[in-house]
Amino acid sequence: MLPARSRVHRSGEFRTVVRCGVRAGRPTVVVHAARQAQPTRTSELSTGPVDNSLPSRDALSPLEVTEADPRVGFIVSKAVGNAVTRNRVKRRLRHLSRDLLRTTPDHTLLVVRALPGSSARPERLADDLGSAWSGALRKLETRTSGLTKDRASARDHRA
Protein backbone atom coordinates (compact mmCIF):
# COMPACT_ATOMS: atom_id res chain seq x y z
CA MET A 1 0.00 0.00 0.00
CA LEU A 2 1.10 3.55 -0.69
CA PRO A 3 1.48 5.57 2.54
CA ALA A 4 -0.68 8.66 2.91
CA ARG A 5 2.44 10.82 3.23
CA SER A 6 3.34 9.88 -0.35
CA ARG A 7 0.01 11.12 -1.71
CA VAL A 8 -1.28 14.53 -2.74
CA HIS A 9 -4.28 15.49 -0.57
CA ARG A 10 -4.91 19.21 -0.99
CA SER A 11 -7.18 20.49 -3.76
CA GLY A 12 -4.85 23.43 -4.47
CA GLU A 13 -2.01 21.03 -5.22
CA PHE A 14 -4.22 18.95 -7.53
CA ARG A 15 -5.35 22.11 -9.33
CA THR A 16 -1.83 23.48 -9.76
CA VAL A 17 -0.36 20.21 -11.03
CA VAL A 18 -3.16 19.71 -13.56
CA ARG A 19 -3.19 23.32 -14.78
CA CYS A 20 0.52 24.20 -14.71
CA GLY A 21 2.24 20.85 -15.16
CA VAL A 22 2.91 18.62 -18.13
CA ARG A 23 0.75 15.67 -19.08
CA ALA A 24 1.05 12.36 -20.86
CA GLY A 25 -2.01 10.37 -21.81
CA ARG A 26 -2.69 6.76 -22.66
CA PRO A 27 -6.00 4.94 -23.33
CA THR A 28 -6.62 4.15 -19.66
CA VAL A 29 -4.85 6.97 -17.73
CA VAL A 30 -3.52 10.51 -17.98
CA VAL A 31 -0.54 11.48 -15.80
CA HIS A 32 0.09 15.13 -14.92
CA ALA A 33 3.46 16.11 -13.39
CA ALA A 34 4.92 19.30 -11.90
CA ARG A 35 7.91 20.25 -9.81
CA GLN A 36 7.14 21.14 -6.20
CA ALA A 37 8.23 24.67 -5.42
CA GLN A 38 10.84 25.15 -2.75
CA PRO A 39 9.13 25.97 0.54
CA THR A 40 7.94 29.57 0.68
CA ARG A 41 4.99 31.20 2.36
CA THR A 42 3.07 31.93 -0.84
CA SER A 43 3.75 28.81 -2.90
CA GLU A 44 0.70 26.62 -3.33
CA LEU A 45 2.83 23.51 -3.81
CA SER A 46 5.05 24.09 -0.80
CA THR A 47 2.78 22.46 1.74
CA GLY A 48 4.26 19.44 3.43
CA PRO A 49 2.94 15.92 3.11
CA VAL A 50 0.00 14.93 5.24
CA ASP A 51 0.51 12.10 7.71
CA ASN A 52 -2.84 10.53 8.51
CA SER A 53 -2.06 6.87 8.10
CA LEU A 54 -0.85 4.13 10.36
CA PRO A 55 2.20 2.35 8.95
CA SER A 56 1.58 -1.21 7.86
CA ARG A 57 4.13 -3.99 7.62
CA ASP A 58 4.69 -3.61 3.87
CA ALA A 59 4.24 0.20 3.70
CA LEU A 60 7.09 2.66 3.68
CA SER A 61 7.99 3.82 7.14
CA PRO A 62 6.79 7.37 7.87
CA LEU A 63 10.40 8.20 8.70
CA GLU A 64 11.41 7.25 5.15
CA VAL A 65 9.13 9.87 3.56
CA THR A 66 10.31 13.49 3.61
CA GLU A 67 8.89 16.73 2.28
CA ALA A 68 11.24 16.50 -0.71
CA ASP A 69 9.99 13.06 -1.71
CA PRO A 70 7.73 12.77 -4.75
CA ARG A 71 4.00 12.51 -4.11
CA VAL A 72 1.09 11.30 -6.22
CA GLY A 73 -2.66 11.98 -6.22
CA PHE A 74 -5.47 10.13 -7.96
CA ILE A 75 -8.60 11.29 -9.75
CA VAL A 76 -11.18 8.61 -10.53
CA SER A 77 -14.47 10.10 -11.68
CA LYS A 78 -17.92 8.52 -11.83
CA ALA A 79 -17.40 7.97 -15.56
CA VAL A 80 -15.11 5.07 -14.60
CA GLY A 81 -17.94 3.15 -12.96
CA ASN A 82 -19.83 2.66 -9.74
CA ALA A 83 -18.22 3.09 -6.30
CA VAL A 84 -16.94 -0.49 -6.14
CA THR A 85 -15.29 -0.17 -9.56
CA ARG A 86 -13.80 3.24 -8.79
CA ASN A 87 -12.30 2.00 -5.52
CA ARG A 88 -10.86 -1.07 -7.25
CA VAL A 89 -9.21 1.16 -9.87
CA LYS A 90 -7.83 3.46 -7.13
CA ARG A 91 -6.37 0.50 -5.24
CA ARG A 92 -4.67 -0.77 -8.40
CA LEU A 93 -3.27 2.66 -9.18
CA ARG A 94 -1.93 3.12 -5.64
CA HIS A 95 -0.29 -0.30 -5.79
CA LEU A 96 1.32 0.35 -9.18
CA SER A 97 2.43 3.86 -8.19
CA ARG A 98 4.41 2.66 -5.20
CA ASP A 99 7.20 1.18 -7.34
CA LEU A 100 7.11 4.08 -9.80
CA LEU A 101 7.54 6.64 -6.99
CA ARG A 102 10.85 5.07 -5.97
CA THR A 103 12.35 6.03 -9.34
CA THR A 104 10.77 9.50 -9.49
CA PRO A 105 12.95 12.57 -8.81
CA ASP A 106 12.52 14.48 -5.55
CA HIS A 107 10.19 17.50 -5.38
CA THR A 108 7.89 16.02 -8.05
CA LEU A 109 4.11 16.03 -7.71
CA LEU A 110 2.04 13.76 -9.95
CA VAL A 111 -1.69 13.44 -10.52
CA VAL A 112 -3.03 10.27 -12.15
CA ARG A 113 -6.45 10.59 -13.78
CA ALA A 114 -8.17 7.29 -14.53
CA LEU A 115 -10.17 7.18 -17.75
CA PRO A 116 -13.25 4.98 -18.31
CA GLY A 117 -11.09 2.42 -20.11
CA SER A 118 -9.23 1.70 -16.89
CA SER A 119 -12.12 -0.37 -15.57
CA ALA A 120 -12.96 -1.96 -18.92
CA ARG A 121 -9.38 -3.12 -19.57
CA PRO A 122 -7.59 -3.52 -16.23
CA GLU A 123 -4.85 -5.67 -17.84
CA ARG A 124 -3.62 -2.58 -19.72
CA LEU A 125 -3.53 -0.37 -16.64
CA ALA A 126 0.01 -1.29 -15.53
CA ASP A 127 1.58 -0.76 -18.95
CA ASP A 128 -0.33 2.44 -19.62
CA LEU A 129 0.50 3.89 -16.20
CA GLY A 130 4.21 3.10 -16.54
CA SER A 131 4.34 4.53 -20.04
CA ALA A 132 2.41 7.70 -19.20
CA TRP A 133 4.40 8.18 -15.97
CA SER A 134 7.76 8.02 -17.76
CA GLY A 135 6.43 10.21 -20.59
CA ALA A 136 5.29 12.90 -18.17
CA LEU A 137 8.62 12.84 -16.34
CA ARG A 138 10.49 13.16 -19.67
CA LYS A 139 8.36 16.16 -20.63
CA LEU A 140 8.86 17.69 -17.19
CA GLU A 141 12.63 17.25 -17.41
CA THR A 142 12.65 18.83 -20.87
CA ARG A 143 10.58 21.75 -19.63
CA THR A 144 12.70 22.37 -16.54
CA SER A 145 16.01 22.02 -18.40
CA GLY A 146 14.68 24.39 -21.09
CA LEU A 147 13.71 26.94 -18.43
CA THR A 148 17.16 26.69 -16.90
CA LYS A 149 18.80 27.33 -20.29
CA ASP A 150 16.44 30.26 -20.97
CA ARG A 151 17.27 31.84 -17.61
CA ALA A 152 20.99 31.41 -18.23
CA SER A 153 20.78 33.00 -21.70
CA ALA A 154 18.68 35.89 -20.33
CA ARG A 155 21.28 36.44 -17.63
CA ASP A 156 24.06 36.45 -20.28
CA HIS A 157 22.18 39.02 -22.38
CA ARG A 158 21.78 41.34 -19.39
CA ALA A 159 25.50 41.23 -18.57
Side-chain angles (χ1 to χ4, degrees), residues 1-4 51 53-62 64 98:
M1 183 56 66
L2 188 65
D51 181 18
S53 69
L54 296 174
S56 65
R57 255 185 305 157
D58 59 343
L60 292 173
S61 165
E64 295 176 28
R98 181 180 172 152

Side-chain angles (χ1 to χ4, degrees), residues 5 12 32 47-48 52-53 60 64-66 69 91-92 94 96-97 102 109-110 112 128 136 149 151-152 159:
R5 295 185 69 183
H32 301 268
T47 55
N52 60 0
S53 69
L60 292 173
E64 295 176 28
V65 181
T66 66
D69 287 341
R91 282 194 305 271
R92 284 184 184 138
R94 281 196 304 264
L96 295 169
S97 297
R102 293 173 196 242
L109 295 178
L110 297 116
V112 178
D128 284 354
K149 290 177 186 174
R151 288 181 186 151

Side-chain angles (χ1 to χ4, degrees), residues 90-123:
K90 279 188 273 193
R91 282 194 305 271
R92 284 184 184 138
L93 289 172
R94 281 196 304 264
H95 175 75
L96 295 169
S97 297
R98 181 180 172 152
D99 292 333
L100 294 171
L101 269 178
R102 293 173 196 242
T103 61
T104 303
D106 286 347
H107 298 287
T108 304
L109 295 178
L110 297 116
V111 173
V112 178
R113 179 183 301 273
L115 300 176
S118 60
S119 62
R121 294 177 293 204
E123 67 280 355

Side-chain angles (χ1 to χ4, degrees), residues 74-78 80 85-87 89-90 93 112-114:
F74 303 97
I75 300 173
V76 184
S77 73
K78 287 185 178 182
V80 172
T85 304
R86 291 193 309 269
N87 286 324
V89 169
K90 279 188 273 193
L93 289 172
V112 178
R113 179 183 301 273

